[in-house]
Amino acid sequence: MAEFWLCFVPLFVAVDAIGILPIFLGLTAGLSRVERQRIVRQSVATATVVGIGFLFLGQGVLRLLGITVSDFMIGGGLLLLALAMLDLLTVAKQSYSPDKETLGAVPIGVPLICGPAVLTTTLLLANQFGWLWTTMALVSNLLLAGLILAHASYLEDLLGHAGSRTISKVVCVILAAFAVMMIRKGIFGVIAENPIAFGTS
């Protein structure tokens, strides 16, 4: 069971459901409660299909391209670090022009809920803890994100705009630390895979 939580926490950080609350409220402003619930269901379904699809197909793509797990850990860690730093150093996340019919799929489902950070983290966790625990943690986080968005208006009243932004920034710091850890492990992995080249044999 420990493996589940070791997968759940990094994915919870990567999804950052609290951080996308202000965007969700802005995109769905003026819509009825029924329309909002439909959009939430559409977004969770889209994010789940994309996330699980990448989880099971991503490894094959990497193998086809000759990319090792250590290579991906370094590249993925750099990407996560860049995403975390971008969010930390900007006032607000990127805004989108909404289309009510596809709003749940794009941009809420992808890339807001299931974006590059989630896809990268998912693949790295699968290599470390296995497909079962990673899939369970991914689905749990996506359902939790849907639950949070379904009660977005109540949570905004509770946290306030400043509160939700503060939580989002703290989450980004944790994501940055997780990214540094992945880069470090990736570098050690590359050295271990090529001991002669690095003079460590």
Side-chain angles (χ1 to χ4, degrees):
M1 193 63 182
E3 290 87 350
F4 171 79
W5 292 110
L6 288 171
C7 293
F8 182 89
V9 173
L11 283 170
F12 177 79
V13 171
V15 171
D16 189 16
I18 299 296
I20 65 176
L21 268 179
I23 304 174
F24 176 80
L25 290 168
L27 292 174
T28 59
L31 299 182
S32 67
R33 188 174 184 277
V34 173
E35 288 176 317
R36 273 190 173 183
Q37 296 304 315
R38 179 188 63 79
I39 288 172
V40 170
R41 289 193 298 270
Q42 185 185 47
S43 65
V44 171
T46 302
T48 302
V49 170
V50 172
I52 293 179
F54 186 81
L55 175 61
F56 287 99
L57 296 177
Q59 184 68 36
V61 172
L62 293 182
R63 192 178 299 112
L64 182 65
L65 296 175
I67 300 173
T68 66
V69 174
S70 297
D71 295 333
F72 191 79
M73 288 187 76
I74 296 172
L78 289 171
L79 174 61
L80 291 182
L81 183 60
L83 290 170
M85 294 303 296
L86 180 64
D87 201 17
L88 281 169
L89 298 175
T90 53
V91 176
K93 292 178 185 278
Q94 186 178 357
S95 59
Y96 299 87
S97 299
D99 177 0
K100 190 167 68 173
E101 295 303 316
T102 60
L103 184 58
V106 179
I108 297 176
V110 178
L112 290 181
I113 295 178
C114 187
V118 174
L119 297 178
T120 303
T121 304
T122 301
L123 201 54
L124 293 170
L125 290 173
N127 283 307
Q128 189 170 0
F129 298 107
W131 307 103
L132 177 61
W133 295 115
T134 305
T135 302
M136 290 174 60
L138 174 63
V139 173
S140 298
N141 268 290
L142 295 178
L143 291 175
L144 179 60
L147 184 64
I148 291 173
L149 294 183
H151 297 83
S153 56
Y154 302 109
L155 289 172
E156 186 186 40
D157 292 339
L158 178 65
L159 297 173
H161 180 74
S164 63
R165 290 301 303 163
T166 300
I167 292 175
S168 178
K169 296 298 182 183
V170 171
V171 163
C172 284
V173 172
I174 298 173
L175 182 60
F178 181 70
V180 171
M181 180 200 69
M182 288 194 301
I183 295 170
R184 171 174 52 82
K185 286 187 175 182
I187 292 173
F188 287 159
V190 170
I191 294 174
E193 291 165 5
N194 304 276
I196 297 177
F198 289 93
T200 59
S201 58

